[in-house]
Amino acid sequence: MQRTRRTLLQAVLSVAVVLAWTGVPFHTTSAQAEGLANPGDLVNAILGGGTDEPQEFAAVLKPVKAGTWTQADALRVGEAYEQTRQWVNAIKLYEAAMEYAEKQKMPVDGGLEYALRRTRVQFGIDRRYADSSFENDMLAMGRAEALDLLEDVMTRVQLEYVDVVSSTKLVSHGTESLYMALGNDRFLSKHTSANGNQTAAAKRVRERLIRDFWNRPVRSRLEARMLVTEVCDIAQREMGLSSAPVVLEYLFGACNALDDYSNFLTPDRYNDLFGSIQGEFVGIGIEMEGEKGKGMHLVNVLLDSPAEDGGLRPGDYIVEIDGRDCRQLSTDEAAQLLRGVRGSRVHLRFESPEGKQAAATLTRRPVHVKSVTRALILDSENGIGYIRMTGFQNSTADEMDVALRDLEAQGMRSLIWDLRGNPGGLLDTAASVIDRFIDNGVLVSTEGRSADQDQTFRANNFNTRNLPLVLLVDENSASASEIVAGAINDHKRGQIVGRKTYGKWSVQSIVHLPGGTGLKLTTAKFYSPGHHNYAGKGLAPHIDVPLPENVHRTLFRGRTSDEISIDPDVARALEILDRRYTKN
């Protein structure tokens, strides 16, 4: 196996096409939302099968976050979401209930913890079976090939993962994943016929898994292979189920035993990840989130992309793809329809937030993802510059240098650096970029299980900018963005404005595996110059700017200095820098 020598710092956020179903469940007016805070009424509304606006789901979360619902209430409503296959809503609800309990130092209901794990597994199954590379390539593997791949993954995890994980734990999570898959409609519809005999057979296999394999001790990877082989034989005998789907549930299930940032990559997911790192992919150039009943909400339309050329703008909704209505599709399902080779075409119907519909035929082509998307002077009198950075990829340091030189030529004397919504990227790129602003000392360090994961990045004191600096961050500023925030905070290099960061302070390595697949594996934790790690907590800004309620997430896309300056976070940063010049 060849290991790809790149270390990745990226949260589970948008890249080129957001692959997360974030539809919300029922249609109400704002006034009705207040009444539906009653769990019983809400369950009835969810099971009624309607749709709603995204701000109404925020209203659903309010009583959970405020503690006016019990954990049992949250579980009841979450199970209604599960019944209607609205996995992400259920996950968010369970997480909010557990977060409130932990903040109040209350015991967390065991049923709630299991419901969260169960829902994440079911969501993962649905996502896999919406991935054409999984269905076309991975499910076609023979038993030996699939078992070899499982063994490769277990080997990498046990040698390189940041924490020690036993074979028993990896295999037990695989057994759990298969057990849940055998109750998942999408899995069963793919691999079995819809009749009573098959349903009874699936039930027998599930019972056998609990009786003979649940948490069964496994002392080695060889024993793991033997156990999975035994399960394959049982599934084949009882259900006529081929080996690949059984082994693959063990493979993906093993990754469920790891942290949220480690996962197995299908061929399509592997290619998407490297497109993000390299800053280029073939497509139409959008970031989207599915909203059930409304379509694919465009969080972002990349600059100079086919989508922008075709008239699509952030905030629009795609409602039809090549003649197929996509308002009831998940984001993964819509993403599959949008995939295609260079030069191929896709016909879209889309709708503006005001309800105006339009159509466009777009030609897929390579799209360069710029990480520095805005660089301009906001205040020419005081020389206040603004740079927005949306990722940390191969080209980011060069893009930053170009932006800085251009703004300096226009008279920049201070800078607002906007990392809001920036999910991260490459470790070495983050260190290289922050080196432009800190002249000495440690920038970031990493620590892992193996010696090659222990690194310290130091400032080079070359061409360092000493201009006054304000950094903008928010709850979606993660990983590499947090390296920047940590360095600025510990070196007292500038003011940090906005909201607490995401809280992902770990490093992932990307391992290439057979069949064009890969493994994204957490191999180290990173630390700020003062050796602080804010995993799960996030770094608080120096100046907190509250996020307005009922915000519909769309990438901020102001094109003029006036449009950007009225943003509350930017306005606060301008106030800080203006005050500095007034004092001087």
Side-chain angles (χ1 to χ4, degrees), residues 379-400:
D379 181 340
S380 56
E381 181 179 348
N382 291 319
I384 302 175
Y386 170 88
I387 290 176
R388 176 170 180 80
M389 184 179 289
T390 58
F392 291 83
Q393 58 200 37
N394 285 332
S395 62
T396 301
D398 289 340
E399 290 181 48
M400 187 65 161

Side-chain angles (χ1 to χ4, degrees), residues 286 298 301 306-314 316 318 348 350 360 362:
I286 61 173
L298 300 186
V301 177
E308 185 181 53
D309 294 344
L312 284 82
R313 297 292 180 264
D316 289 348
I318 297 175
L348 304 178
F350 56 98
L362 310 180

Side-chain angles (χ1 to χ4, degrees), residues 473 482 485-486 489 496 499-503 505 534 537-541:
V473 297
E482 294 178 287
N489 182 67
I496 303 175
R499 288 157 297 286
K500 186 180 290 187
T501 62
Y502 186 85
W505 286 63
Y534 297 91
K537 298 178 290 186
L539 178 66

Side-chain angles (χ1 to χ4, degrees), residues 190-374:
K190 174 67 178 179
H191 298 295
T192 65
S193 57
N195 61 58
N197 291 336
Q198 286 283 22
T199 302
K203 183 178 179 181
R204 287 196 300 273
V205 175
R206 296 181 91 196
E207 290 171 348
R208 185 76 181 274
L209 290 174
I210 291 175
R211 185 177 70 244
D212 297 339
F213 298 96
W214 212 256
N215 293 324
R216 181 162 143 183
V218 178
R219 290 168 295 186
S220 67
R221 290 187 289 275
L222 177 59
E223 281 193 13
R225 187 179 184 114
M226 293 169 63
L227 183 150
V228 177
T229 298
E230 186 179 353
V231 173
C232 286
D233 290 339
I234 293 169
Q236 171 66 40
R237 186 168 59 250
E238 293 284 350
M239 301 177 58
L241 190 61
S242 62
S243 295
V246 173
V247 179
L248 291 174
E249 288 308 315
Y250 273 90
L251 187 155
F252 282 92
C255 293
N256 291 341
L258 311 178
D259 65 5
D260 291 342
Y261 312 112
S262 299
N263 49 72
F264 182 84
L265 303 169
T266 65
D268 279 353
R269 298 280 189 262
Y270 185 76
N271 290 334
D272 286 344
L273 182 58
F274 270 89
S276 172
I277 292 171
Q278 294 161 0
E280 185 172 279
F281 67 95
V282 172
I284 61 172
I286 61 173
E287 299 177 18
M288 67 186 188
E289 294 176 339
E291 291 180 15
K292 191 177 179 184
K294 297 198 71 173
M296 298 298 119
H297 171 241
L298 300 186
V299 175
N300 187 22
V301 177
L302 300 180
L303 299 173
D304 303 320
S305 65
E308 185 181 53
D309 294 344
L312 284 82
R313 297 292 180 264
D316 289 348
Y317 289 84
I318 297 175
V319 297
E320 188 177 284
I321 304 171
D322 283 336
R324 181 174 175 182
D325 192 311
C326 65
R327 284 171 285 198
Q328 297 298 328
L329 298 182
S330 71
T331 314
D332 287 347
E333 291 167 333
Q336 289 300 320
L337 297 177
L338 290 170
R339 288 184 184 276
V341 299
R342 177 176 182 169
S344 61
R345 294 184 175 184
V346 60
H347 183 75
L348 304 178
R349 291 198 65 80
F350 56 98
E351 188 174 289
S352 72
E354 296 75 32
K356 183 179 179 180
Q357 284 208 1
T361 298
L362 310 180
T363 301
R364 299 178 180 93
R365 60 172 171 80
V367 177
H368 177 64
V369 184
K370 297 177 181 177
S371 52
V372 174
T373 56
R374 298 294 290 140

